[in-house]
Coordinates of all heavy atoms in Angstrom, one line a residue:
S1 N 0.8 -1.2 0.0 CA 0.0 0.0 0.0 C 0.8 1.3 0.0 O 0.3 2.3 -0.3 CB -0.9 0.0 1.2 OG -0.2 0.0 2.4
I2 N 2.1 1.1 0.3 CA 3.0 2.3 0.3 C 4.2 1.9 -0.6 O 4.4 0.8 -0.9 CB 3.5 2.7 1.7 CG1 4.3 1.6 2.4 CG2 2.3 3.1 2.6 CD1 4.9 2.0 3.7
S3 N 5.0 2.9 -0.9 CA 6.2 2.7 -1.7 C 7.1 1.8 -0.9 O 7.6 2.0 0.2 CB 6.9 4.0 -1.9 OG 8.1 3.8 -2.6
I4 N 7.5 0.7 -1.6 CA 8.4 -0.3 -1.0 C 9.8 0.3 -0.9 O 10.7 -0.2 -0.2 CB 8.4 -1.7 -1.7 CG1 8.8 -1.5 -3.1 CG2 7.0 -2.3 -1.5 CD1 8.9 -2.9 -3.8
F5 N 10.0 1.3 -1.7 CA 11.3 2.0 -1.7 C 11.6 2.6 -0.3 O 12.7 2.8 0.1 CB 11.4 3.1 -2.7 CG 12.7 3.8 -2.9 CD1 13.7 3.1 -3.5 CD2 12.9 5.0 -2.4 CE1 15.0 3.7 -3.7 CE2 14.2 5.6 -2.5 CZ 15.2 5.0 -3.2
S6 N 10.5 2.9 0.5 CA 10.6 3.5 1.8 C 10.7 2.4 2.9 O 10.8 2.8 4.1 CB 9.4 4.4 2.1 OG 8.2 3.7 2.1
I7 N 10.6 1.2 2.5 CA 10.6 0.1 3.5 C 12.0 -0.5 3.5 O 12.6 -0.8 2.5 CB 9.6 -1.0 3.1 CG1 8.2 -0.4 3.0 CG2 9.7 -2.2 4.1 CD1 7.2 -1.4 2.5
N8 N 12.5 -0.6 4.7 CA 13.9 -1.1 4.9 C 14.1 -2.5 4.3 O 15.1 -2.7 3.7 CB 14.3 -1.0 6.4 CG 14.6 0.4 6.8 OD1 14.9 1.3 6.1 ND2 14.4 0.6 8.1
A9 N 13.2 -3.3 4.6 CA 13.3 -4.7 4.2 C 11.9 -5.3 4.1 O 11.0 -5.1 4.9 CB 14.2 -5.6 5.1
I10 N 11.7 -6.1 3.0 CA 10.4 -6.8 2.8 C 10.7 -8.1 2.3 O 11.7 -8.4 1.6 CB 9.5 -5.9 1.9 CG1 8.1 -6.4 1.9 CG2 10.1 -5.9 0.5 CD1 7.1 -5.5 1.2
G11 N 9.8 -9.1 2.5 CA 10.0 -10.4 2.0 C 8.9 -11.3 2.2 O 7.7 -10.9 2.4
W12 N 9.2 -12.6 2.1 CA 8.2 -13.7 2.2 C 8.5 -14.6 3.3 O 9.6 -15.0 3.6 CB 8.2 -14.4 0.9 CG 7.7 -13.6 -0.3 CD1 8.5 -12.9 -1.1 CD2 6.4 -13.5 -0.8 NE1 7.7 -12.3 -2.1 CE2 6.4 -12.7 -1.9 CE3 5.2 -14.0 -0.4 CZ2 5.3 -12.3 -2.6 CZ3 4.0 -13.7 -1.1 CH2 4.1 -12.9 -2.2
Y13 N 7.4 -14.9 4.0 CA 7.4 -16.0 5.0 C 6.4 -17.1 4.5 O 5.6 -16.9 3.6 CB 6.9 -15.5 6.4 CG 7.8 -14.5 7.1 CD1 7.8 -13.2 6.7 CD2 8.6 -14.9 8.1 CE1 8.6 -12.2 7.3 CE2 9.4 -14.0 8.8 CZ 9.3 -12.6 8.4 OH 10.1 -11.7 9.0
R14 N 6.5 -18.2 5.1 CA 5.6 -19.3 4.8 C 5.3 -20.1 6.0 O 6.1 -20.2 7.0 CB 6.1 -20.2 3.7 CG 7.2 -21.1 4.0 CD 7.7 -21.9 2.8 NE 8.8 -22.8 3.1 CZ 9.5 -23.5 2.2 NH1 9.2 -23.4 1.0 NH2 10.5 -24.3 2.6
Q15 N 4.1 -20.7 6.1 CA 3.7 -21.6 7.1 C 3.1 -22.8 6.5 O 2.0 -22.8 5.9 CB 2.7 -20.9 8.1 CG 2.4 -21.7 9.3 CD 1.8 -20.9 10.4 OE1 1.1 -19.9 10.1 NE2 2.0 -21.3 11.7
A16 N 3.8 -23.9 6.7 CA 3.3 -25.2 6.3 C 2.5 -25.9 7.4 O 2.6 -25.6 8.5 CB 4.5 -26.1 5.9
P17 N 1.6 -26.8 7.0 CA 0.8 -27.6 8.0 C 1.7 -28.2 9.1 O 2.7 -28.9 8.8 CB 0.1 -28.6 7.1 CG 0.1 -28.1 5.8 CD 1.3 -27.3 5.6
G18 N 1.4 -27.9 10.3 CA 2.1 -28.4 11.4 C 3.5 -27.8 11.7 O 4.2 -28.3 12.5
K19 N 3.8 -26.7 11.0 CA 5.1 -26.1 11.1 C 4.9 -24.6 11.6 O 3.8 -24.0 11.4 CB 5.8 -26.1 9.8 CG 6.1 -27.5 9.2 CD 7.2 -28.2 10.0 CE 7.6 -29.5 9.3 NZ 8.7 -30.2 10.0
Q20 N 6.0 -24.1 12.1 CA 6.0 -22.7 12.5 C 6.2 -21.9 11.2 O 6.8 -22.3 10.2 CB 7.1 -22.4 13.5 CG 6.9 -23.1 14.8 CD 5.7 -22.6 15.5 OE1 5.5 -21.4 15.7 NE2 4.9 -23.6 16.0
R21 N 5.8 -20.6 11.3 CA 6.1 -19.7 10.2 C 7.6 -19.5 10.1 O 8.2 -19.3 11.1 CB 5.3 -18.4 10.4 CG 5.4 -17.4 9.3 CD 4.7 -16.1 9.6 NE 3.2 -16.2 9.5 CZ 2.4 -16.2 10.5 NH1 2.8 -16.1 11.7 NH2 1.1 -16.3 10.3
E22 N 8.1 -19.5 8.9 CA 9.5 -19.3 8.7 C 9.8 -18.3 7.6 O 8.9 -18.1 6.6 CB 10.2 -20.6 8.3 CG 9.7 -21.2 7.0 CD 10.4 -22.5 6.6 OE1 11.4 -22.8 7.2 OE2 9.9 -23.2 5.7
L23 N 10.9 -17.6 7.7 CA 11.3 -16.7 6.6 C 11.8 -17.5 5.4 O 12.6 -18.4 5.5 CB 12.4 -15.8 7.1 CG 13.0 -14.8 6.1 CD1 11.9 -13.8 5.7 CD2 14.2 -14.1 6.7
V24 N 11.3 -17.1 4.3 CA 11.7 -17.7 3.0 C 12.7 -16.9 2.3 O 13.8 -17.4 1.9 CB 10.5 -17.9 2.1 CG1 10.9 -18.5 0.7 CG2 9.5 -18.8 2.8
A25 N 12.5 -15.6 2.1 CA 13.4 -14.7 1.4 C 13.1 -13.3 1.8 O 11.9 -12.9 2.1 CB 13.3 -14.9 -0.1
G26 N 14.1 -12.4 1.7 CA 13.9 -11.0 2.0 C 14.8 -10.2 1.1 O 15.8 -10.7 0.6
I27 N 14.4 -9.0 0.9 CA 15.2 -8.0 0.1 C 15.2 -6.7 0.9 O 14.1 -6.2 1.4 CB 14.6 -7.9 -1.3 CG1 15.5 -7.0 -2.1 CG2 13.2 -7.4 -1.3 CD1 15.2 -7.1 -3.6
R28 N 16.3 -6.1 1.0 CA 16.5 -4.8 1.6 C 16.4 -3.7 0.6 O 16.5 -3.9 -0.6 CB 17.8 -4.8 2.4 CG 17.9 -5.8 3.5 CD 19.2 -5.6 4.3 NE 19.3 -6.5 5.4 CZ 19.6 -7.8 5.4 NH1 20.0 -8.3 4.3 NH2 19.6 -8.5 6.5
R29 N 16.2 -2.5 1.1 CA 16.1 -1.3 0.3 C 17.2 -1.2 -0.6 O 17.1 -0.8 -1.8 CB 15.9 -0.1 1.2 CG 15.6 1.2 0.4 CD 15.2 2.3 1.3 NE 16.2 2.5 2.4 CZ 16.0 3.2 3.5 NH1 14.8 3.7 3.8 NH2 17.0 3.3 4.4
A30 N 18.4 -1.4 -0.2 CA 19.6 -1.3 -1.0 C 19.8 -2.4 -2.0 O 20.6 -2.3 -2.9 CB 20.9 -1.2 -0.1

């Protein structure tokens, strides 16, 4: 909803059945 250029880091998490949510990948502003 806002410019991702202003976000320090953004990425993807996932949660599989019976598992905890985990970080998949992230990208920083730079």
Side-chain angles (χ1 to χ4, degrees):
S1 62
I2 64 173
S3 174
I4 60 174
F5 187 75
S6 67
I7 301 173
N8 286 333
I10 192 168
W12 293 91
Y13 294 78
R14 69 184 181 186
Q15 187 165 26
K19 300 286 188 178
Q20 297 295 309
R21 185 182 283 110
E22 64 176 346
L23 178 66
V24 177
I27 185 166
R28 296 182 174 86
R29 184 169 56 197

